[in-house]
Amino acid sequence: METPLTQHISFDRPCYNLRDYEKNGGYQALRKALSLSPESITNTVQASDLKGRGGAGFNTGMKWSFVPMNGHYPVKYLIANADEMEPGTFKDRMLMEGNPHQLIEGMIISAFAIQANISYIFLRWAYKKAGRLLTHAIEEAYAAGYLGKNILGTGYNLEMYLHTGVGRYICGEETALLNALEGKRATPRAKPPFPQVSGLFGKPTIVNNVETLCNIPHIINNGPDWFKSLGKGNDAGTKIYGVSGRVKRPGLWELPMGVSMRELIEDCAGGMANGYRFRGALPGGASTDFLVEEHLDIHLDYKSVAAAGSRLGTGTMIILDDHTCPVGFVHNLEHFFAQESCGWCTPCREGLPWTEKILLSIERGEGRPEDLQLLETHTRLLGPGNTFCALAPGAMEPLQSALKYFREDFEKHIDQKKCPWR
């Protein structure tokens, strides 16, 4: 099994410096890309069917193709979204700490494809080690002529900056990230115009996830057909999957796109920890719908997970076991989402705290039968199409699915006037 993203990552030794990275084929994809036309690079990435690994799952090359290439824009931006704030998600941290030059090379190629001349890594504030390693790797890349003016004598120029955020979940939404990068309040923007046309400081901008960008050098080196051959089902390539919760071996694994839930939990994570039984899982981080035992054999690709009623999201799974209260589990998530609402639109600003308070009262044994109907109403009113961005709809996904699959647990809290797990 090929693992292009993690083949040179080992935490038993320091991460590769520039010399180590080059010895193992590093920056060869950049040299190849600089000999190609920007359009051919975009076409190659589009043909590979690389979908965004940050959660949206949109074709990366198609996203790039929306950037105007008519020469009327002297400034364009390429941004790596490294603000990994989704609860249960830590895949990008591993990639940045394990092989920072892989991200940098992917960014340079991507920037060349859209003819961007300024790039940013928007890094989560808590990722101190990743920040130090990226800073050093950027300095090495400048010294070697991979960044700056006249890269490798081709006449192409690219500056790269590391920007550390202050820890806001909303910055996972790309236009809120752009506002934060401009020094403004991190709130989403109205679309259109889309960032590809009017993004950072009103200039054409592409924002891609770290894992997405790390795939680019391998696609350029090996071609789109090779990349598509790595997947097992509907989608191409490999994916960094993760499992957290009461399993024997929580962690991250690079696997073919389309591996089953059962394979991930039982073969990679070693199954449930002794004395615990599987009840459900959020397959792509906190803002995805629960999948339960009947779904264990579905393939973890975008289409299959959607057909089961959830989203692949970030591909990092949070397990719910039979010793954990589903109401308390969901309340904890809704408390997080309520705190992280940017306050821009009324349904999210007012609805999420109300949802959190209802769940808290149920967890304390103060719930009423009509509270379940209130919660269901919130899942509709805060759902897709009713808010300015996807934060509140994402927050409703674990709640609506918990009410579907674990309703009896909610009813026990209300009938017994206490949490049965305490």
Side-chain angles (χ1 to χ4, degrees):
M1 185 181 68
E2 292 190 69
T3 55
L5 297 177
T6 57
Q7 62 184 326
H8 299 307
I9 293 178
S10 172
F11 291 100
D12 295 328
R13 55 161 173 78
C15 74
Y16 280 174
N17 59 23
L18 177 62
R19 182 179 297 178
D20 297 326
Y21 186 66
E22 288 176 325
K23 283 181 180 178
N24 287 275
Y27 290 105
Q28 291 305 308
L30 173 61
R31 293 177 184 276
K32 180 179 179 180
L34 292 174
S35 70
L36 304 172
S37 69
E39 182 182 21
S40 68
I41 297 171
T42 297
N43 290 341
T44 296
V45 174
Q46 187 167 347
S48 76
D49 197 29
L50 169 64
K51 292 183 170 70
R53 301 305 201 232
F58 191 76
N59 184 289
T60 302
M62 184 176 293
K63 184 176 183 177
W64 292 359
S65 73
F66 300 145
V67 174
M69 300 293 286
N70 53 20
H72 294 165
Y73 297 90
V75 177
K76 296 180 189 176
Y77 296 96
L78 185 285
I79 300 171
N81 187 348
D83 195 54
E84 193 172 42
M85 287 285 290
E86 181 72 19
T89 301
F90 44 98
K91 63 183 181 66
D92 295 340
R93 175 183 176 183
M94 177 190 70
L95 290 169
M96 291 184 289
E97 292 182 0
N99 194 356
H101 277 287
Q102 180 176 234
L103 171 60
I104 292 169
E105 183 177 15
M107 290 181 67
I108 301 169
I109 296 170
S110 305
F112 179 72
I114 64 167
Q115 290 294 281
N117 44 19
I118 302 175
S119 59
Y120 288 93
I121 301 172
F122 192 100
L123 183 68
R124 180 179 175 180
W125 69 274
Y127 286 0
K128 308 297 186 185
K129 180 179 179 181
R132 292 193 299 272
L133 294 172
L134 285 166
T135 298
H136 180 65
I138 291 170
E139 291 171 351
E140 287 185 309
Y142 267 105
Y146 296 127
L147 286 170
K149 305 295 183 185
N150 193 26
I151 293 173
L152 298 179
T154 62
Y156 176 60
N157 306 323
L158 179 68
E159 305 298 332
M160 184 174 291
Y161 304 98
L162 179 66
H163 177 90
T164 302
V166 294
R168 293 305 311 274
Y169 179 74
I170 190 62
C171 289
E173 201 282 335
E174 63 180 8
T175 62
L177 180 153
L178 296 177
N179 275 344
L181 200 51
E182 290 181 6
K184 300 172 183 174
R185 177 180 167 188
T187 55
R189 299 177 181 179
K191 293 182 277 191
F194 291 92
Q196 293 94 320
V197 176
S198 179
L200 187 65
F201 301 112
K203 307 299 183 183
T205 303
I206 285 290
V207 182
N208 282 137
N209 169 260
V210 167
E211 185 184 354
T212 306
L213 291 163
C214 286
N215 276 287
I216 301 301
H218 307 290
I219 293 171
I220 298 302
N221 268 334
N222 299 291
D225 291 337
W226 164 84
F227 187 74
K228 287 191 282 190
S229 74
L230 299 178
K232 292 182 68 172
N234 297 308
D235 293 317
T238 61
K239 178 81 184 73
I240 307 294
Y241 291 102
V243 178
S244 59
R246 289 190 169 115
V247 291
K248 291 177 181 175
R249 295 191 300 271
L252 295 166
W253 301 269
E254 183 180 3
L255 301 168
M257 279 289 280
V259 68
S260 74
M261 274 184 67
R262 190 181 300 277
E263 289 175 276
L264 181 60
I265 295 170
E266 296 182 1
D267 297 344
C268 297
M272 298 300 294
N274 293 336
Y276 294 94
R277 185 173 61 84
F278 176 87
R279 286 201 73 189
L282 302 174
S287 61
T288 56
D289 286 90
F290 278 101
L291 297 177
V292 292
E293 196 162 3
E294 68 188 70
H295 301 120
L296 281 172
D297 292 311
I298 70 163
H299 295 288
L300 292 172
D301 56 53
Y302 292 100
K303 185 176 180 180
S304 301
V305 177
S310 187
R311 292 184 303 110
L312 180 60
T314 60
T316 47
M317 186 178 297
I318 306 173
I319 301 290
L320 172 67
D321 63 82
D322 64 337
H323 287 45
T324 299
C325 171
V327 178
F329 186 106
V330 174
H331 168 256
N332 186 45
L333 296 180
E334 299 307 321
H335 177 72
F336 169 81
F337 289 124
Q339 282 188 141
E340 292 299 326
S341 172
C342 75
W344 189 246
C345 67
T346 303
C348 185
R349 183 184 64 244
E350 306 298 331
L352 287 179
W354 192 5
T355 301
E356 189 267 336
K357 288 176 183 176
I358 294 171
L359 287 166
L360 180 60
S361 68
I362 295 173
E363 179 68 1
R364 286 175 171 172
E366 302 165 0
R368 308 164 301 166
E370 56 265 34
D371 286 339
L372 300 186
Q373 185 177 351
L374 266 177
L375 289 173
E376 288 176 332
T377 300
H378 275 75
T379 64
R380 292 193 300 273
L381 295 180
L382 276 68
N386 295 320
T387 59
F388 204 75
C389 80
L391 191 154
M396 292 299 100
E397 291 188 25
L399 174 58
Q400 67 190 9
S401 53
L403 289 167
K404 176 182 178 180
Y405 294 118
F406 312 121
R407 193 177 191 90
E408 185 178 338
D409 296 280
F410 286 82
E411 292 170 344
K412 282 182 180 179
H413 280 72
I414 294 170
D415 295 342
Q416 298 177 18
K417 298 190 181 301
K418 66 175 185 178
C419 174
W421 274 262
R422 291 182 181 177

